Amino acid sequence: MLVVMQAHASEEQVRAVCEKIDAAGLRAHPIPGAERTAIGITGNRGEVEIGLEEMPGVAEVIRVTKPYKLVSRDVKQENTVVHFPGSPASIGGPELAIIAGPCAVESREQTFAIAERVHRAGAQFFRGGAYKPRTSPYSFQGLGEEGLRILAEVRERWGMRVVTEAIDNESLELVEEYADVIQIGARNMQNFSLLKRAGRAKKPVLLKRGMAATLEEFLMAAEYVMCEGNYNVILCERGVRTFADHTRNTLDLSVVPAVHRLSHLPIVVDPSHGTGKRNKVTPLSRAAVAVGCDGLIVEVHNDPDRALSDGMQSLYPEQFDELMSEVRQIAAVVRRELPYQLAQNRRVLGTPDAPATAAAR
Ligand code: PEP
Ligand code: MN
């Protein structure tokens, strides 16, 4: 159910409706919009008959027919933009979010070498796994908390916000403490206890699409996070398993406009896991931006041949520079912006001066 408040409804009226919902043993989720506030109700089975229509400030009470509620555009028409305290970076706004870095944090030296390059190329977010969900128990499993400490140093030094994966409730505690965005991987998209724990976290969640998840299952997973009270969810398309064997997964770019139609949440695209092949990462990054994604998450390594995971799909830093320059041109066509590169790059490339916000980075 969804309570739509009148445009001029006061804060007290919104609060009174929320209190009535909570008192009935349900949960109220007030969602302020540009013109009016809507209040999503969860925890109910069927109609909610508690006289909400009669309350002051209420315009109407409508039944949400889709299985997901808080994720839906019916509940919130405006796009969700995820902001980061102390940073001009955002996800879901006019600027494309560029998240880049290695598959795994392997050492301080490796991580810093990559961070320096992707920051210089214009990434506002740094990725790197400290906890790695590997197919083989004998493969490198990540540095754990030491890896998180290295990521925190990257944020300190370059100002990039840090995205890293939590693989279980235990690692989520630490990831929440050190990182700016909690990544939930494809293998855990339907780990409902982990989703609920992420929903109680105070940091945004980047939710990757499961390997064989339909769009509805993907959105329902996001609903798990949101109904616990965490509304900062970023969806991520990373390819699904099909019969095709020329790529590791099949990157489903059609899901981007489908998500934008059904949901207000931002969606970023991961062409690295989506293809598994370095030579396909830049072409599919171009396509992802053309199709209207809100950002890219790309694996970059300073020495991919010796990478401890996903070397085959990791770009060399120079290739990432080229990707940024190509994507910048396509972004303009779909009226999106890319972050400006640092001063030394601007001089070399002869691009215009950065706007004040970006220059502060
Ligand atoms: C990753 O981002 O390194 C990763 C393991 O991704 P996914 O969950 O999409 O396989
Ligand atoms: Mn990887």
Side-chain angles (χ1 to χ4, degrees), residues 102-104 127 132 248 273 299 309-310 313:
C103 179
R127 64 145 294 150
K132 295 305 304 173
R248 178 175 174 186
H273 295 87
E299 286 184 344
S309 70
D310 287 349
Q313 66 193 36

Side-chain angles (χ1 to χ4, degrees), residues 95-173:
E95 195 173 81
L96 286 178
I98 304 295
I99 309 166
C103 179
V105 176
E106 298 169 15
S107 68
R108 194 165 182 272
E109 193 189 15
Q110 166 251 15
T111 306
F112 275 31
I114 300 165
E116 202 267 311
R117 291 299 303 260
V118 300
H119 178 251
R120 199 195 312 159
Q124 320 97 313
F125 296 88
F126 189 73
R127 64 145 294 150
Y131 299 91
K132 295 305 304 173
R134 304 304 299 278
T135 303
S136 165
Y138 307 116
S139 303
F140 176 61
Q141 305 283 311
L143 295 181
E145 191 169 359
E146 187 194 336
L148 296 176
R149 275 195 284 267
I150 295 170
L151 289 169
E153 280 190 69
V154 167
R155 178 185 42 234
E156 272 305 293
R157 182 148 169 190
W158 285 280
M160 289 183 284
R161 303 292 116 167
V162 162
V163 182
T164 194
E165 180 167 355
I167 53 171
D168 49 26
N169 287 14
E170 202 185 335
S171 55
L172 198 144
E173 300 281 328

Side-chain angles (χ1 to χ4, degrees), residues 187-260:
R187 289 155 193 81
N188 272 318
M189 190 206 80
Q190 285 190 316
N191 179 340
F192 300 118
S193 75
L194 186 61
L195 294 175
K196 285 189 203 166
R197 174 63 188 83
R200 292 191 294 273
K202 299 282 173 282
K203 301 270 173 78
V205 171
L206 184 136
L207 177 66
K208 292 191 128 193
R209 182 179 180 182
M211 296 196 196
T214 63
L215 173 54
E216 189 170 300
E217 288 162 344
F218 192 17
L219 294 175
M220 291 305 288
E223 186 80 19
Y224 260 92
V225 178
M226 292 185 77
C227 78
E228 292 292 328
N230 189 345
Y231 305 122
N232 287 320
V233 179
I234 303 134
L235 301 170
C236 176
E237 162 60 28
R238 46 78 73 204
V240 287
R241 194 56 77 78
T242 67
F243 55 82
D245 58 4
H246 63 290
T247 50
R248 178 175 174 186
N249 292 297
T250 297
L251 191 65
D252 175 15
L253 290 179
S254 73
V255 86
V256 173
V259 161
H260 282 156

Side-chain angles (χ1 to χ4, degrees), residues 15 73 99 104 106 123-124 181 195 253 269 304 319 325 332 338 361:
R15 199 172 320 121
R73 259 208 209 274
I99 309 166
E106 298 169 15
Q124 320 97 313
V181 179
L195 294 175
L253 290 179
V269 169
Q319 291 178 307
S325 120
L338 237 73
R361 262 201 288 282

